[in-house]
Structures are given as C-alpha cells and as structure tokens.
Amino acid sequence: YGQLVGQKASELQSFIGMLARKKVNINYHSWKQVPNEVKNMIWESVNVSNMKLSYVMHFFLFCYLYT
C-alpha cells in the first residue's frame, strides 16, 4: 500500500538511496530531523537528473521527502 512498483520505482529508490548516503549526515536518528534545506537539495537533484519520472513518482517522492 502506498509503494511504487516496477523498474522505474527500483531506479528511483536506488537513486534516492545514493543521494541520501551522500547528502545526509549519518548523525540524524530520524528522517524528520533532517533539515528541509537538505531535503530540498535532494528534491532538486532528482528534478534535474536525467531520470524520466512520472507525475505519480514525483508525488510519491515529494511525500517521502517531506513527511
């Protein structure tokens, strides 16, 4: 429920995981503690990447980053 499936979903998850490992300090115990500036940087990185994401995937990513 509420999870994307398929090849593009796997690519998106891998890409987000790579960004999180590179951009988010390991000292945060919860995603909610990560400053919005960092989440915005990840959001922008996904938006300018060459990944062709559907509107639905953008919506799920936005919800994941900001909730």
Side-chain angles (χ1 to χ4, degrees):
Y1 221 79
Q3 291 191 3
L4 299 172
V5 295
Q7 180 62 32
K8 288 290 183 184
S10 295
E11 292 174 18
L12 179 60
Q13 289 173 337
S14 295
F15 187 64
I16 293 169
M18 183 267 311
L19 286 173
R21 284 188 297 277
K22 287 186 173 188
K23 307 277 186 192
V24 179
N25 189 319
I26 198 165
N27 293 323
Y28 293 112
H29 297 284
S30 166
W31 183 249
K32 292 181 183 211
Q33 294 175 331
V34 176
N36 278 341
E37 294 81 25
V38 175
K39 294 178 185 179
N40 290 339
M41 185 178 5
I42 293 172
W43 176 249
E44 289 302 317
S45 295
V46 170
N47 280 329
V48 299
S49 75
N50 289 329
M51 292 185 71
K52 303 295 183 216
L53 303 177
S54 70
Y55 292 113
V56 172
M57 288 184 130
H58 269 98
F59 173 75
F60 276 103
L61 174 59
F62 181 84
C63 291
Y64 174 77
L65 287 174
Y66 296 102
T67 57

